[in-house]
Amino acid sequence: MGRKIQAVKGTRDLLPPDTAVWAAVERAARETFGAYGYSEIRTPILEDTELFVRSVGEGTDIVGKEMYTFTDRKGRSLSLRPESTASVARAFVQHGMHSAALPLKVYYIGPHFRYERPQKGRYRQFFQIGAELLGDAGPQSDGEVILMLVRFLSVLGFEGLVVQLNTVGDEESREAYRKGLVEYLEPHREALSPDSQRRLGSNPLRILDSKDPADHGVLQGAPRLEDFLNASSAGHFDAVCEMLDRHDVAYSIEPRLVRGLDYYTRTVFEIIAAGLGAQDAIVGGGRYDGLIEELGGQPLPGIGFAIGEDRLIEVLPERFRIEALKASLVAVAAVPPVSAAEAVALAEELRSENLPVLAELTDRSVRSALKRADRAGVKWVVLLGEQERATGTVTVRDLEQGSQETMPRGDLATYLRRSP
Ligand code: HAM
């Protein structure tokens, strides 16, 4: 016997019946985002490494430590996408989409890759459901993106989630703040964690959301970003908050929230869910007004978010999960000596009436057919025996109730469709 081969560390097989839950979540996303005028975009999983270096940023953990990067057979450096905002912006520039009707609203659902230490809620291949709005700078766009996100989560049955919100200001405000922060931190260098010491040179803003207790003391007296905001950045943020207030979105302002990717400007946000342990962010997003230009396009703004689908499903409200798993299948079985071929023929008739049907393909006893149907989570089994065949009827057995009734074969489709 050959050695058993396992899925690669940090990756997982998604199996039935769980995949039904994933499909239901994705269906809900498509419906909700569709209602806001979003269309699907599918970009390659493989991109030029430079795309992420230039957008997410060389000094970030994602690009510095977590990318699956390799050289292809012609010596080009390629990476598995660790996120999709950069890919969407690249596609926008590549296809000259600035001349289409703006803003462009797109969403994506698919696998992403980061070489992180696997743990609960953290995988090396994980799925994101994301949305991006490109080509509009106004605060109403920030507001609408967040409203759409909140609506989607409430469709799934989430309650009590709070959007954590902050602004990192525009380029000018951010630059001023970076200077102020480094000036303050430099004299405390020795007291900082090794990670933060490194970030002091490369990405000082990231020190703010350090989880290391060593940094917390030092950060207590640090200057605050909000004191460095210019009038336009502050006004934008106020307008976003106003819109969220108007629509009763639960949010809290988190001055330390800066996000781990370099392209953010102005509004940034996250949503945290209980029950996930340390990996508790189920959504991250924000505005990226310089990204498209950075990638060689027109100076056009953008905003979006990505939901971690693996984490979302881990904390999915039970009611949505149960609905998604509810068996909708009907099984059809022949009672010997009627042959299985006749069950298949009846199943085909029902499928022509748009009913999903599981046909018993093998001649076997009614007892074992019922047992199989029960294990498959089927609600009804349609039995076709000699008696039924002779009289043009069928017997429908309700596995949940344990009851059964016989009816003319012609009434069957209507009966199954009507029954809850
Ligand atoms: P991000 O915060 O890096 O943002 O990722 C978004 C979400 O993806 C996280 O909140 C988390 O739920 C999920 N996620 C990230 N890494 C993992 C992992 N290793 N395992 C499981 N889930 C994970 C972005 O990717 C930005 N592109 C979001 C965005 C879109 N900003 C603007 N537009």
Side-chain angles (χ1 to χ4, degrees):
M1 239 182 12
R3 184 178 66 88
K4 285 187 193 146
I5 299 173
Q6 307 278 324
V8 170
K9 182 172 177 189
T11 73
R12 325 185 268 168
D13 299 305
L14 301 174
L15 305 173
D18 291 351
T19 40
V21 177
W22 286 69
V25 165
E26 290 167 13
R27 222 165 21 242
R30 290 173 195 281
E31 258 169 42
T32 307
F33 298 173
Y36 286 79
Y38 283 69
S39 309
E40 186 176 12
I41 186 169
R42 298 193 190 192
T43 61
I45 285 170
L46 213 51
E47 296 272 4
D48 199 323
T49 300
E50 193 191 339
L51 172 64
F52 303 112
V53 172
R54 264 211 263 163
S55 56
V56 175
E58 194 144 33
T60 61
D61 284 353
I62 296 176
V63 170
K65 302 195 241 175
E66 298 167 1
M67 276 212 297
Y68 278 90
T69 298
F70 61 95
T71 45
D72 74 359
R73 291 170 192 277
K74 284 267 163 65
R76 287 173 284 243
S77 178
L78 304 181
S79 295
L80 297 182
R81 63 181 185 196
E83 62 108 48
S84 276
T85 310
S87 305
V88 170
R90 178 202 46 72
F92 182 88
V93 173
Q94 182 173 339
H95 302 288
M97 289 163 106
H98 58 274
S99 49
L102 295 181
L104 176 75
K105 295 171 159 184
V106 289
Y107 71 84
Y108 47 86
I109 301 173
H112 294 77
F113 303 84
R114 296 183 194 176
Y115 195 87
E116 295 186 82
R117 201 167 49 73
Q119 62 183 79
K120 184 177 157 82
R122 189 160 77 188
Y123 307 97
R124 290 181 174 171
Q125 173 180 297
F126 59 97
F127 284 75
Q128 284 189 345
I129 300 177
E132 312 288 349
L133 181 154
L134 297 99
D136 188 74
Q140 306 291 347
S141 287
D142 308 40
E144 196 192 65
V145 161
I146 295 172
L147 286 179
M148 178 169 90
L149 169 63
V150 168
R151 183 182 294 273
F152 171 59
L153 294 170
S154 85
V155 165
L156 300 183
F158 281 99
E159 281 169 17
L161 292 180
V162 177
V163 180
Q164 309 209 334
L165 192 68
N166 193 22
T167 176
V168 292
D170 61 7
E171 199 45 52
E172 183 189 80
S173 315
R174 220 150 67 127
E175 202 37 60
Y177 180 60
R178 194 177 293 132
K179 276 210 191 93
L181 185 64
V182 172
E183 256 165 45
Y184 166 81
L185 289 175
E186 201 54 70
H188 302 281
R189 177 181 274 276
E190 296 309 312
L192 291 171
S193 67
D195 258 350
S196 293
Q197 292 191 18
R198 214 167 332 104
R199 286 185 175 136
L200 200 51
S202 58
N203 202 352
L205 261 60
R206 275 316 301 280
I207 297 174
L208 292 180
D209 65 2
S210 159
K211 298 211 160 65
D212 198 313
D215 298 326
H216 288 176
V218 179
L219 285 171
Q220 296 249 309
R224 290 162 9 139
L225 204 151
E226 57 185 283
D227 299 324
F228 288 75
L229 293 179
N230 56 23
S232 131
S233 296
H236 184 96
F237 191 58
D238 288 345
V240 174
C241 293
E242 242 167 62
M243 185 162 167
L244 297 182
D245 288 336
R246 178 171 180 167
H247 293 274
D248 292 325
V249 172
Y251 68 92
S252 70
I253 298 177
E254 303 290 333
R256 293 264 168 86
L257 177 68
V258 292
R259 309 269 301 128
L261 302 86
D262 281 358
Y263 51 61
Y264 288 114
T265 56
R266 299 184 189 263
T267 314
V268 291
F269 54 94
E270 280 185 359
I271 294 181
I272 306 297
L276 275 168
Q279 305 305 317
D280 56 0
I282 55 168
V283 187
R287 186 167 269 291
Y288 43 88
D289 290 347
L291 178 60
I292 295 173
E293 192 178 12
E294 178 63 41
L295 295 176
Q298 311 274 332
L300 280 173
I303 178 163
F305 62 78
I307 301 166
E309 193 176 2
D310 306 75
R311 293 183 192 175
L312 183 78
I313 285 175
E314 215 141 322
V315 293
L316 194 65
E318 205 44 33
R319 195 145 37 95
F320 189 89
R321 186 187 302 274
I322 290 168
E323 262 327 291
L325 286 172
K326 244 195 197 154
S328 56
L329 281 183
V330 175
V332 175
V335 183
V338 175
S339 77
E342 303 228 17
V344 173
L346 177 55
E348 280 295 280
E349 268 173 41
L350 294 173
R351 291 176 188 134
S352 296
E353 303 261 1
N354 285 326
L355 285 161
V357 184
L358 202 64
E360 185 57 66
L361 299 174
T362 316
D363 289 299
R364 65 173 89 220
S365 72
V366 173
R367 224 171 74 90
S368 67
L370 288 177
K371 209 161 134 193
R372 260 166 55 89
D374 197 37
R375 285 187 60 189
V378 162
K379 179 163 160 51
W380 292 287
V381 181
V382 179
L383 294 167
L384 187 60
E386 251 188 325
Q387 176 77 26
E388 284 87 359
R389 196 173 47 176
T391 55
T393 58
V394 289
T395 295
V396 182
R397 195 179 170 90
D398 183 328
L399 290 186
E400 282 167 20
Q401 309 287 330
S403 58
Q404 63 180 46
E405 72 184 280
T406 299
M407 66 191 70
R409 187 160 166 158
D411 294 351
L412 179 59
T414 315
Y415 175 85
L416 294 175
R417 226 191 310 276
R418 245 205 329 256
S419 305

